[in-house]
Amino acid sequence: MMNLDKYPSKLLENAVNEFSKLPGIGRKSALRLVLYLLRQEKEDVTVFGESLIRLRNEIMHCMVCHNISDSETCEICSNPARNPSVICVVENIRDVMSVENTHQFSGLYHVLGGIISPMDGIAPSDLEIESLVNRVSGGWTGEIILALPATMEGDTTNFYLYRRLKPFNITVTTLARGISIGDDLEYTDVITLGRSIINRVEFERSLNVK
């Protein structure tokens, strides 16, 4: 198939090709972004480029919760005002941001890095589950909140985690079903998500409801 795009510069074409690799960015949008950058001051574009390079080279993952961080321990885990006995388990970093935006949670987090999905080849061993079990085994945890998507994969992961955590003397809760079935946390409005955290229920009770 012939490429109908005609670029007056190979440098322009290369830049468009790179931008179009971003999710949700087609070639027309990529061209628009590149042309926008060309209209900016060279110093501003340099700052933009260097910020991306530093992001990729210097970003770290918290050694405790696996959230992204500028240091070995993220600001949340190192904050003495947070309640270390309550851990909210989420799928990804975006979910941490969503829960934080509710201002209804003062505990810590644990980022799994995904959810169990045999169809996608994601097994429990591919996720940060063992590190969660190790955190709980330390004896400082009183409650685990399972804040995973209200999907079949999310429920499967919830049940797996519940079975792994059941031997420990802790409370395992899940979000109240104010969140629609099939929804991800990042697409849930702040008020609904906040109420779901406040009105969370014990996981065993959620099993009995189904």
Side-chain angles (χ1 to χ4, degrees):
M1 181 177 176
M2 183 181 297
N3 184 1
L4 300 179
D5 292 329
K6 299 289 186 180
Y7 296 94
S9 162
K10 190 66 176 177
L11 292 173
L12 176 65
E13 181 179 2
N14 290 341
V16 170
N17 288 339
E18 294 305 314
F19 269 88
S20 64
K21 293 177 182 178
L22 296 173
I25 302 295
R27 295 190 68 80
K28 288 185 178 180
S29 296
L31 176 60
R32 193 158 52 244
L33 292 171
V34 172
L35 293 178
Y36 170 80
L37 290 176
L38 284 177
R39 293 194 299 270
Q40 308 309 303
E41 297 293 333
K42 288 184 179 180
E43 293 80 6
D44 294 336
V45 178
T46 298
V47 171
F48 174 77
E50 288 179 346
S51 69
L52 294 179
I53 294 173
R54 288 193 62 191
L55 171 70
R56 187 62 189 90
N57 292 338
E58 299 179 21
I59 199 73
M60 304 177 72
H61 285 83
C62 176
M63 61 186 297
V64 178
C65 71
H66 310 291
N67 190 14
I68 58 173
S69 176
D70 293 333
S71 56
E72 288 188 350
T73 305
C74 71
E75 292 184 356
I76 295 176
C77 287
S78 59
N79 185 348
R82 308 290 295 214
N83 182 0
S85 69
V86 182
I87 299 176
C88 182
V89 179
V90 295
E91 177 184 0
N92 53 47
I93 294 160
R94 294 189 301 271
D95 293 339
V96 173
M97 298 171 64
S98 296
V99 175
E100 282 296 282
N101 286 336
T102 68
H103 303 289
Q104 300 295 332
F105 180 67
S106 61
L108 303 182
Y109 293 91
H110 192 89
V111 181
L112 292 179
I115 52 179
I116 298 171
S117 178
M119 292 290 291
D120 297 319
I122 303 175
S125 59
D126 298 316
L127 307 177
E128 295 292 345
I129 293 177
E130 290 305 319
S131 59
L132 173 63
V133 174
N134 289 336
R135 288 180 72 179
V136 173
S137 66
W140 296 99
T141 306
E143 179 185 0
I144 291 289
I145 303 174
L146 301 177
L148 300 178
T151 61
M152 182 169 62
E153 292 80 9
D155 287 344
T156 298
T157 308
N158 279 339
F159 187 69
Y160 180 86
L161 291 175
Y162 172 71
R163 294 292 297 273
R164 290 295 308 273
L165 299 171
K166 192 173 182 179
F168 301 99
N169 186 27
I170 61 172
T171 300
V172 179
T173 60
T174 187
L175 298 182
R177 288 300 188 180
I179 299 174
S180 301
I181 301 299
D183 280 358
D184 289 333
L185 294 192
E186 64 175 305
Y187 301 121
T188 304
D189 68 90
V190 172
I191 294 176
T192 299
L193 180 55
R195 288 175 177 170
S196 296
I197 294 171
I198 294 173
N199 298 319
R200 59 187 182 271
V201 297
E202 290 192 27
F203 187 74
E204 281 195 12
R205 288 176 55 194
S206 72
L207 291 176
N208 293 333
V209 169
K210 295 180 181 180

